[in-house]
Structures are given as C-alpha cells and as structure tokens.
Amino acid sequence: MIHRLLAVLSLAFLCGSAVNAEPFVQGGPIGSQTSDGYNALGPVVQQPIDFPHYRHAKDMGINCMYCHTGARRGYVSVIPREDKCIGCHQNIESVKDKPRIKKLFEYWDKKEPIPWKKVNDLPDFVRFNHERHIQRFYFRQDRPVREVCGYCHGDVANMTVDRRVKSLSMGWCVSCHEKDHKESVTNMKTSHGPNECWQCHK
Amino acid sequence: MSESGINRRDFLKVLGLGGSSLALTGCGNTDVQSGVEVVMPNVHPEDFVVPGLSVFYASTCTQCGSACGVMGRVREGRVLKLEGNPESKISGGKICGLGQAAVQAQYNPDRLTQPMVKEGDKLVPTTWEKAMALLDDKTGPKSGISGEQFAFVTGATSGHLKALIQNYMDSLGSKNHFVYEAVSPAIGFAANRQVYGVDMPRLHLDKAKLIVSFGSDFLGTGASPVHFAREYAKFRKAPRGTLVQIEPKMTMTGANADRWIPIIPGTEGVFALGVANELLNHEEYVRATSPDIVALVRKYDRETVSRATGVRPELVAHVAALLWEKTPSLVISGASAEGHVHGVQNAMAIQLLNKILGNVGKTVDGQAQSPFPQIAPSAGSFAALKAMNDEMGGGKFKAVFIHGANPVFTAPSFMGFRENLRKAPFKVAFVDAIDETAQECDLVLPILTAVEDFGSHVAWYQPEGVEVSIQQPLMEKLHADTRSMGDIMLDLVKVRRAEEYKAWPDFFSYLKTAVVAVKPVVKYTDTDEHFWYDVLSHGLIQVDAPQQEVGANFAAAALDLSSSAPVQDPKFPFYLIPSERHNFRDGRHANLGWLQESPDPLTTVVWDSWAEIHPKTAASMGISEGDYLEIASQNGMLKVKAYLFPGIHPDAISIPLGQGHEALGRFAQGVGVNPFRILDPVFEKSTGEIAMYGTRVSVRKTGSKETVVKDEGPYNTQLGRKLVVTLPADVAQLSKEI
C-alpha cells in the first residue's frame, strides 16, 4: 500500500517537474534520456536568453510558425525578428520585470540583434528545405504542428532552450525518405521523399 | 608560378602534406553541430524581408558604357547575383560575363576602405574630416586656385553625376574637364559625323541578310555587346544571315563569321573601295553613285587591291558578289579598321558600301534624339588626355582630380604621363581600389561601388527610344568609411554654391529631384513620390524621342586612300595589334578573379598575357608555343610568351590589353604585360586620336620557355584520337558555300 502511494506521489512529482522545472536548462550528458522520452544527442547550448519554448508553444499553445515564419516559405525556418518579440511583450505587463524579458528589452533598446547560437546546424554542404516538409506534412496532410516540427526537432514545446534530440545524419534523413507517405489528407496515394543526391547537396 | 618560386610539382607535394588538415579545417562546418555558430535575427527589418528568400532590385550595370539594365538578387542584405532586366531595351533581360563579375568588385578584398593621404612617397590612412579639410585647403576659395589651374579627368560619363561634375567645374570657372577613354570610339564617331551627320547611327543587324564587318567586334566589345548579341541571334535565325569578317586578327565576332578574311592592318579601306569597284559593275549601283566617286573607285581594281591588302583578288570579287546577291546588307567598320593614321578615311570608305548598296535608311538609320542634353553621354577620347597631358607637362595645373580612368596605366610611355602628373602639386583620385594612377596621387578617396550607390546613365548606343538607366543601391555600403562619388561632388559644389544647392543634403535627393523633373516628358500623371518609386522598381525611364536624321555624304577627296600604304621599316617588320578582350577592356577589371579565370574565348589562356603569332611565321623563326619573345617597338619592349594562332595575319603580332598592372590589388598585380606601354606616337590625322593599330614591332626569341596556362588541349592532336572529323578549309571548298 505504502509502495503504491509512494509510486503515485513520485509520478505526480515527476509530472510536475516535467512542466515546471524547465527540463533542459540543466540538461543531462549527451545520450541521457530526456523527460519526454528522447535522447539528448547534442550538448546543452548556452543561449543569450534562456528562451522558454514550453511557455510559448505548450502553455500558451502558440503555433511554432507564428515565430518561425520562414518555415513554410523558404529554406530556413527563421529566427524571429526582434520586433516580433517586442510586439507582444510590450503589452504583457505581468512578465515585464522577469529577468529574461528585461534582457530582451535591453537588446531592443540598443537595437542590437540577439546573438542566438545555432542548435540544429547541418554541415555546410547540406541544404535542408523547411518549406517542402512543412507544406507536405502540415498543410497538405494536416498533421499537428508539434508533430511535424517534432519529426526533426523533437518535442520542443517541452523544452526551455532547444536541444538537439534527433540524429540529423544522412542515414537518418534517408530512413524517413525511404518510407511511403500520403500525398495529402484527401489523396491516399503515397510517395516517398526524393533520394537524388542533388536534392540536398547543391 | 615560377616568379613565386613554386613549380607545379612542389605545389602538389605541399598539397599532399597539407591536404588532409585542409580538409578538416579549411572547408567550414562538416558535421552536425550545436552551439558553435551564431545566428543573428533582424532587429526591425522591412516587412518584405524573409531570411532565406531573395529580393530583386532593378539597377544598372556600370562595368562598361552600354548601361545594361540589371536585376540584382539580394538576400539577407547582400547582393549575390546580377542578371539582365527584361524591361531594358539595351540588355533585354540578359547580361555578359563582365556584368556578372560586378558582384566580385563589390566583395573584392583589395577594395580601398578608407581615405589615404600621401606622406613622403607612401599613401597612409587618414580620416574623411582631414581629407575634406585638405581638399578645401588646396581647391577651396581660400586656396586662390583659378579655373585654369584645375583639371578633372574622368572616363566616359553620362547621367546626373556628369551634370554635377559639370556644375562643379562651372563653380570653379574651369573648362578643363577631360573625358578620356583609352579604347575610345572617337575615330568611328568622327567618320560617322562626316558621313551620316550623327555620332553613331543605329545598326539593324536583325534586318540584314548579310553583314560585312571590317574589324568590328560587335559581339565581344564595342558599343553594346549584349544588345548586339541578341540582334545577331535574330539575324542568324532562319533564313540564316551570313557574316563576313575582314580583320587582321580574329576577334570573337570573327570567330562567329561564316568567312573570315585576314588582311594587312590599315588596308581595310582599300579593300572596301575594291569591293565598291566590283559592285559598280552593276549599272543600278552606278546610277546611285556620284560620278566623282565612281571615278575614284575605278582606280581600285582587283589586282591593285590584292597587292595592297594581301587578300586574294578573287575574294574581293567574291565579297562583292555576296553583297549583290544578299540584300539588304549591312557593312560595319570597327576598331581594327579605324585605329590607323587614315582611320577616318578607312571608316568612310567602308561606309561608302552602305551608300552604294542603299543600306542607309534600311539597316542603318538614326538613333533617338535625347531630350536631355545635360545628362547626354560623353564617350571620351584619347585626344582629351593628350591635350591635358601637354598642358600638365607645362606645369599649368595646380590641382588634378581623376575619376573613372587610370591614365598612368593606359597612357603610352611616350607621353610621359606619370612624370607630368608628378608636376601637378595636388592630385586627387576617387577610386574603389588603388590603381596605378591613385598610387601617384596625394589624396585617394574611397568611393562606393556601383552596387552600393545611386546614379543614372545614358548609353551612347540606344537601340530603341532613349533609355535613362537608373542605378540604385542593391545593398548597404560594405565599408563604413567609403562615400558616394555623388555625395562628395555635391559637397564640393556647395563649397562655392551653398545657396543654390542647399535643398539637397545628399546625391540621393539631388537625383530624386532631377528624375522627378522628367515626369512631364514621359507624361506621367500620378504623384512625384509614385513616379520615383515607379522609376526605381523598373530601373529605367524609357523616353520616346524623334529619330535623328541620317544622311549619306561622301566627298571623293576624303576617300582617296592611294597614299595610305603602310611605311615599311625593316627594323620593325611586324604590325602590333593590341587587342581588346571582352572581359578586361582597357584593364580596369583585371582585379576580378572571375574574369582572370574565365578563359579567353579564342586562345583559352587564363591569368596571363600572350603574344599571338601565325604558325607559319613562328615556324620560319623557330618559335614554338611558350617561347618567351621580346616584342619591341621604338618606345619599349615587352617579354611575353608566344601562342601560335592561325587566326592572325602572318605579318602581325597581337597582345591583349588589360594585363600588366603594377597595382590594383593581388589579382591584377604582376599578371602579364601591358601593351599600352609600347605604343608608338602614331595619330589619326584628322582627329588626333592615337592610332592603336599603327605601332610596328620587332620580334626576337629569347631562348627561355614556359608552359602557356590554358584550357585548350594539345594543339590539333585531338588527344591522339579522331574525336571530331575535320576538313581543311581549302579541301572543303568554302568559297562554294559562303
């Protein structure tokens, strides 16, 4: 009985910590299991501001592409322009005195860009196209955005600052490109991703 | 390679040792990584800026004087590529290699990034404040300088910068604006003015069935190569037009010709009169020609012409037969026919064929008349520099400004331009990279490149209407301490005319006001602001203007070429042909690595100079490819590698222009030789222009030899296999075909 009670309590504790303890701020060594079931494959990256993805994408339910506006339009997903952050945060009085927001406004007041570190940085000879993937899986197949972005980025909505949790190696890309995927939510015809070298190496 | 002490074998050894570490460290990011590189977001960009997606701006290419409209591809605030602007009647949506390389001029590591002032005999960095103070000290109102004592040398110029320079000269009370182009069309213009009554007629390549070109390299260099290449494509479409090229050294246009006829340099006019004589066997042509001309032309029978030109007599008749057979035709004269003592006469004799054949008004007619004389183009001449040099040698000028020209490099050594320039106590160069002329100056000011600056241009060859090409910045300036040429000129004008120019804080606002003033001419009815943005987004203002009247005036006396036979000097038996390459022109672009690397279309040589010599001549002198030759004129000697080239007259030697820089940065310096240096003081007799093809040289084999670096495979061997079946021209009986 006591064991069962302890198990329930510890489960509740774990669940609570998964939401509030900002799982990747401390992070674990490379290879360690993360709270959402992924393996942390990249190192913990110290960003200029500990951007809480979980607060925006999970707690507030904001679509990833509200900020990463390039993902549906071009090769790069785009780090949001600074005036986009300010556009919302100048109207959110409740968090204005939080250290991260203060830091954001410091950059903004100086009109300096925030020097974010790249987390998912592919080799220079690889050209990954966000648009193709987002158009196929989010718009045509109508899958949830957290799932579609999560194919390559993991469940970022559960992270504070982003950490690489997928291999992003060529073999890993190919393993998905070999599979058949539905054309769209209405078209049941399937096709797999391209496997010509030049699609990525140009 | 040999000058730096490394040969190919050593180079490969070093590569073998260092290659593995290079692969790891030299090629950037080779693995998936996190937290290494930084990605900077935009702080407050324009709404249309999407990182990763390109934006296109219309502007104008300034690599040569054609003023092609271009579209610049810009991504993340950096210009990456230029292509033609489809709305431009000049470029028609295309652009040449020279234009493509403008992007490289922008990112050139040898760009001048700060003002430099001469201390002792060295240029040292200074600030703009000090530079402008020095300018004011030497040329401002307190300097006491008079207009007579001031000279401004520019390259070919047009548009509102030209107007501003003119205003500055007016403010100084100076008439000494010298427009200098080392390879200028001035001789052709002079002939055109006499014959047609205009500087440059419009040539309808597309309407002709046959083009006979006397050394006009309209596809490679000349007035507007991109436009002419497009017209040429129309001319070659079915029914396919025929091109005959007559010149002493094969140009790119010559290589495209159906029949290429080598001729003794300077005798093109005689050949043209010989063809005219054959044509006058047809009664209808005689009726259309004045009797004194007929009488003159009758002196040029086949045999006489053949003896003078070195062309077989039957070919004279053959060209005439082609012209009789294929009408309308078009006869063009070009640089190699015009660059002689009797250049104007040569050009007029060639144009006489157009008159006899009735081409004037059909394939030769007038360009549109520009309604804006203030911004009309000045094409430049050699005579301008000569006049300036003579006055400077007399110690007349206290201050000399130089922009868009590099006369220390392009002036022949007999002029002593460098020494004369040193006599002027204050010299200022406005450049984006330090060239030979800037090195001699007391103050060197770094200006923006064409892709960073505003401007306007009007080409001297206008295919349709008048196109005012607008240049706008494709990106922010790359180096903080560089300034717009227009801004500098405006500041200088304001020194004496502050009140008149106070409305314009910068060249941008000056240009905008001037462009908006054009509104009534193009009948635009919307607001000024709309008009300005309309002009910027299209990159040009197209003005319908009335066509110039073109006449056909020939005086028999002006056409007599009987005394034009070249003077033979046994000490200098060869004709020197300083050929203009399509990519370097007069050498101003030799600092662009892409152009150095792109092979010469005819010889495929890269990163070097060479001397083209006919294989028969070479054989008689025991010269083989790569032999160093000493090529000497009365005014200098060049040591250059031989390249055996069948496309040249056996009595001629050709060295390409543009190489042999002593300055202009790492890509240009020390590469090749500069044939401008050894030109003889031979001048066209009516214009005073230098006769570029009038220099005679001797050739001596030095005994040393080096590989000619070129893309072409072993000469004529087809790698030991019969890859392409070929037939010698005499066996193929070409004359039966073309």
Side-chain angles (χ1 to χ4, degrees):
Chain A
M1 184 65 196
I2 289 173
H3 286 270
R4 193 171 293 171
L5 187 65
L6 275 175
V8 169
L9 277 175
S10 59
L11 189 68
F13 176 75
L14 276 174
C15 289
S17 66
V19 175
N20 295 322
E22 304 192 353
F24 286 143
V25 171
Q26 273 75 39
I30 292 173
S32 62
Q33 183 93 43
T34 62
S35 59
D36 53 359
Y38 292 107
N39 283 328
L41 295 181
V44 175
V45 176
Q46 294 297 332
Q47 298 286 10
I49 298 174
D50 289 336
F51 181 84
H53 280 96
Y54 71 94
R55 182 71 78 204
H56 293 81
K58 188 166 142 188
D59 297 355
M60 301 294 164
I62 299 170
N63 189 311
C64 308
M65 285 185 289
Y66 182 78
C67 298
H68 296 289
T69 52
R72 63 186 182 276
R73 295 173 174 156
Y75 275 88
V76 290
S77 65
V78 175
I79 300 295
R81 46 195 285 175
E82 220 162 285
D83 53 2
K84 186 135 203 166
C85 312
I86 301 298
C88 292
H89 275 281
Q90 65 186 354
N91 298 319
I92 309 176
E93 292 296 332
S94 58
V95 293
K96 258 195 173 165
D97 56 343
K98 301 276 187 194
R100 290 163 178 162
I101 308 299
K102 275 187 177 167
K103 216 166 169 184
L104 167 69
F105 275 93
E106 274 171 29
Y107 279 110
W108 173 248
D109 291 341
K110 288 187 278 184
K111 292 288 176 285
E112 271 180 12
I114 306 168
W116 299 108
K117 288 274 175 60
K118 281 189 187 177
V119 174
N120 300 289
D121 190 6
L122 294 178
D124 290 348
F125 49 78
V126 183
R127 201 163 146 91
F128 176 82
N129 188 337
H130 278 89
E131 183 191 6
R132 297 293 297 265
H133 294 84
I134 295 295
Q135 290 294 340
R136 173 82 182 254
F137 294 105
Y138 180 73
F139 288 104
R140 297 218 296 274
Q141 289 196 13
D142 205 15
R143 304 257 192 97
V145 70
R146 271 172 73 175
E147 179 192 323
V148 174
C149 299
Y151 295 154
C152 304
H153 293 292
D155 192 8
V156 183
N158 256 320
M159 303 182 194
T160 307
V161 296
D162 186 23
R163 188 170 183 187
R164 184 163 68 84
V165 294
K166 297 288 180 121
S167 151
L168 308 187
S169 68
M170 188 171 120
W172 177 84
C173 293
V174 170
S175 70
C176 195
H177 274 226
E178 280 174 344
K179 288 179 194 157
D180 282 335
H181 303 280
K182 271 197 306 187
E183 280 289 321
S184 72
V185 72
T186 49
N187 184 352
M188 291 301 119
K189 216 177 117 191
T190 61
S191 62
H192 59 71
N195 64 357
E196 298 92 352
C197 309
W198 64 267
Q199 293 278 4
C200 306
H201 304 294
K202 24 189 140 197
Chain B
M1 278 284 195
S2 67
E3 279 175 22
S4 57
I6 305 171
N7 63 28
R8 183 172 168 274
R9 194 172 288 257
D10 288 341
F11 175 72
L12 290 175
K13 272 188 214 160
V14 173
L15 202 69
L17 289 171
S20 55
S21 58
L22 274 176
L24 291 175
T25 57
C27 302
N29 174 15
T30 58
D31 206 350
V32 181
Q33 60 187 22
S34 293
V36 180
E37 285 185 21
V38 172
V39 52
M40 294 287 206
N42 289 311
V43 177
H44 191 50
E46 296 284 352
D47 280 348
F48 56 81
V49 172
V50 180
L53 292 191
S54 304
V55 187
F56 292 81
Y57 292 95
S59 190
T60 298
C61 176
T62 61
Q63 295 284 85
C64 78
S66 308
C68 287
V70 293
M71 300 296 287
R73 184 161 79 85
V74 181
R75 221 189 70 187
E76 277 99 70
R78 290 282 183 272
V79 55
L80 300 179
K81 185 89 163 67
L82 296 182
E83 280 299 345
N85 176 359
E87 285 187 52
S88 163
K89 306 277 184 201
I90 300 171
S91 75
K94 301 285 180 277
I95 189 178
C96 68
L98 189 57
Q100 299 275 2
V103 173
Q104 217 182 17
Q106 167 70 350
Y107 302 108
N108 198 314
D110 297 319
R111 263 188 73 181
L112 182 63
T113 55
Q114 53 191 335
M116 308 284 270
V117 66
K118 188 146 273 180
E119 276 181 16
D121 56 355
K122 276 179 79 179
L123 286 168
V124 293
T126 185
T127 63
W128 273 102
E129 288 73 28
K130 286 182 186 165
M132 294 311 273
L134 183 62
L135 266 180
D136 198 47
D137 185 38
K138 300 285 187 186
T139 62
K142 287 180 194 153
S143 66
I145 195 168
S146 71
E148 284 289 289
Q149 294 166 326
F150 178 80
F152 204 140
V153 183
T154 65
T157 175
S158 68
H160 294 96
L161 183 62
K162 178 201 162 192
L164 204 49
I165 289 175
Q166 193 51 52
N167 295 350
Y168 176 60
M169 300 303 285
D170 291 347
S171 79
L172 270 163
S174 176
K175 291 187 167 53
N176 301 326
H177 180 193
F178 300 99
V179 184
Y180 163 61
E181 277 294 314
V183 184
S184 94
I187 299 174
F189 278 13
N192 290 338
R193 270 195 300 273
Q194 285 193 42
V195 173
Y196 301 124
V198 296
D199 276 353
M200 183 70 201
R202 190 175 168 211
L203 308 173
H204 292 276
L205 268 61
D206 55 331
K207 288 185 188 163
K209 286 184 183 157
L210 167 71
I211 296 173
V212 178
S213 157
F214 289 79
S216 170
D217 185 19
F218 57 84
L219 294 178
T221 56
S224 200
V226 175
H227 164 72
F228 280 125
R230 206 171 58 254
E231 296 289 290
Y232 177 78
K234 290 183 203 160
F235 157 79
R236 284 297 210 187
K237 268 193 183 159
R240 188 177 189 273
T242 306
L243 172 62
V244 176
Q245 183 90 358
I246 300 146
E247 58 192 2
K249 173 234 169 330
M250 189 182 274
T251 56
M252 207 154 85
T253 311
N256 280 280
D258 299 288
R259 183 180 271 277
W260 179 78
I261 301 173
I263 187 166
I264 293 175
T267 62
E268 291 86 350
V270 174
F271 187 90
L273 292 178
V275 174
N277 180 37
E278 298 289 332
L279 284 173
L280 290 179
N281 292 336
H282 299 281
E283 192 52 39
E284 61 174 282
Y285 290 149
V286 177
R287 276 199 299 275
T289 313
S290 67
D292 56 336
I293 302 250
V294 175
L296 170 84
V297 168
R298 288 289 181 219
K299 289 194 253 172
Y300 293 87
D301 62 90
R302 264 181 232 189
E303 299 302 328
T304 312
V305 170
S306 175
R307 273 195 303 278
T309 60
V311 180
R312 280 181 289 135
E314 61 270 24
L315 271 179
V316 182
H318 185 74
V319 172
L322 277 175
L323 283 165
W324 165 251
E325 192 184 313
K326 295 172 190 277
T327 51
S329 57
L330 173 62
V331 185
I332 314 174
S333 87
S336 67
E338 292 162 2
H340 301 277
V341 176
H342 50 282
V344 169
Q345 276 176 296
N346 257 359
M348 287 171 70
I350 291 161
Q351 285 151 358
L352 177 66
L353 291 174
N354 278 328
K355 154 91 170 144
I356 294 174
L357 293 158
N359 293 335
V360 181
K362 286 183 191 160
T363 53
V364 179
D365 65 11
Q367 291 192 47
Q369 228 158 0
S370 171
F372 316 114
Q374 267 205 320
I375 59 169
S378 304
S381 66
F382 172 83
L385 188 79
K386 190 163 169 281
M388 187 260 179
N389 185 52
D390 292 346
E391 292 181 27
M392 193 165 61
K396 185 180 163 192
F397 301 130
K398 278 189 175 171
V400 176
F401 285 10
I402 301 168
H403 170 244
N406 184 6
V408 171
F409 174 76
T410 51
S413 58
F414 70 78
M415 288 175 76
F417 186 86
R418 192 194 294 256
E419 294 71 29
N420 286 340
L421 187 64
R422 285 177 184 160
K423 289 182 190 165
F426 185 59
K427 290 98 51 189
V428 185
F430 304 85
V431 290
D432 62 8
I434 292 190
D435 56 22
E436 287 80 354
T437 308
Q439 268 185 340
E440 294 295 329
C441 288
D442 303 290
L443 183 64
V444 185
L445 298 178
I447 58 170
L448 301 181
T449 61
V451 294
E452 294 172 329
D453 205 357
F454 275 101
S456 59
H457 305 271
V458 183
W460 56 260
Y461 188 82
Q462 293 284 347
E464 207 178 316
V466 174
E467 189 168 311
V468 181
S469 311
I470 302 294
Q471 174 196 335
Q472 66 171 316
L474 301 176
M475 62 182 281
E476 290 274 322
K477 63 181 179 183
L478 202 58
H479 303 290
D481 255 357
T482 51
R483 284 191 72 195
S484 157
M485 183 64 192
D487 285 351
I488 302 172
M489 287 317 299
L490 198 63
D491 281 358
L492 290 175
V493 178
K494 281 180 183 170
V495 169
R496 287 184 174 80
R497 294 186 172 174
E499 199 53 33
E500 280 174 60
Y501 288 85
K502 70 176 181 193
W504 300 296
D506 50 21
F507 183 58
F508 163 76
S509 54
Y510 177 80
L511 181 71
K512 188 175 169 184
T513 310
V515 165
V516 166
V518 173
K519 228 173 69 164
V521 181
V522 292
K523 299 184 179 66
Y524 193 90
T525 49
D526 212 333
T527 63
D528 289 358
E529 206 65 5
H530 270 112
F531 180 66
W532 171 245
Y533 283 108
D534 217 27
V535 167
L536 282 191
S537 60
H538 292 281
L540 49 92
I541 305 170
Q542 188 73 37
V543 186
D544 292 326
Q547 215 174 38
Q548 291 171 326
E549 288 293 321
V550 167
N553 314 308
F554 292 92
L559 289 170
D560 193 353
L561 284 159
S562 49
S563 61
S564 71
V567 185
Q568 297 298 333
D569 184 344
K571 275 200 286 184
F572 301 101
F574 290 95
Y575 299 88
L576 176 70
I577 299 178
S579 57
E580 192 186 5
R581 284 179 69 185
H582 69 295
N583 50 2
F584 291 152
R585 304 297 171 98
D586 62 2
R588 69 187 66 184
H589 302 301
N591 61 343
L592 305 181
W594 286 349
L595 297 180
Q596 289 278 7
E597 185 74 21
S598 71
D600 175 70
L602 294 176
T603 61
T604 76
V605 180
V606 293
W607 289 97
D608 208 351
S609 288
W610 63 94
E612 285 162 27
I613 182 167
H614 195 275
K616 275 184 196 159
T617 314
S620 71
M621 297 175 75
I623 293 168
S624 58
E625 186 181 295
D627 276 337
Y628 269 104
L629 307 179
E630 272 180 12
I631 295 177
S633 75
Q634 286 177 347
N635 289 281
M637 190 270 287
L638 300 173
K639 210 172 134 196
V640 62
K641 282 180 250 182
Y643 178 85
L644 274 50
F645 186 56
I648 187 165
H649 193 278
D651 294 337
I653 296 283
S654 174
I655 307 176
L657 294 169
Q659 300 278 33
H661 281 276
E662 298 160 13
L664 208 61
R666 68 195 75 178
F667 303 122
Q669 212 169 343
V671 177
V673 298
N674 179 8
F676 279 119
R677 306 296 306 160
I678 66 166
L679 292 184
D680 282 345
V682 183
F683 301 101
E684 204 286 323
K685 59 187 174 189
S686 64
T687 57
E689 289 294 296
I690 190 160
M692 289 284 283
Y693 295 78
T695 299
R696 303 295 296 258
V697 290
S698 65
V699 175
R700 194 180 74 79
K701 191 175 154 182
T702 61
S704 59
K705 187 171 185 167
E706 208 174 76
T707 311
V708 175
V709 181
K710 57 177 185 171
D711 283 7
E712 177 188 59
Y715 177 63
N716 233 359
T717 62
Q718 300 207 25
L719 300 168
R721 291 172 284 165
K722 209 163 177 68
L723 297 171
V724 181
V725 180
T726 56
L727 207 58
D730 50 341
V731 177
Q733 291 188 313
L734 260 180
S735 54
K736 280 193 179 167
E737 294 173 16
I738 304 292

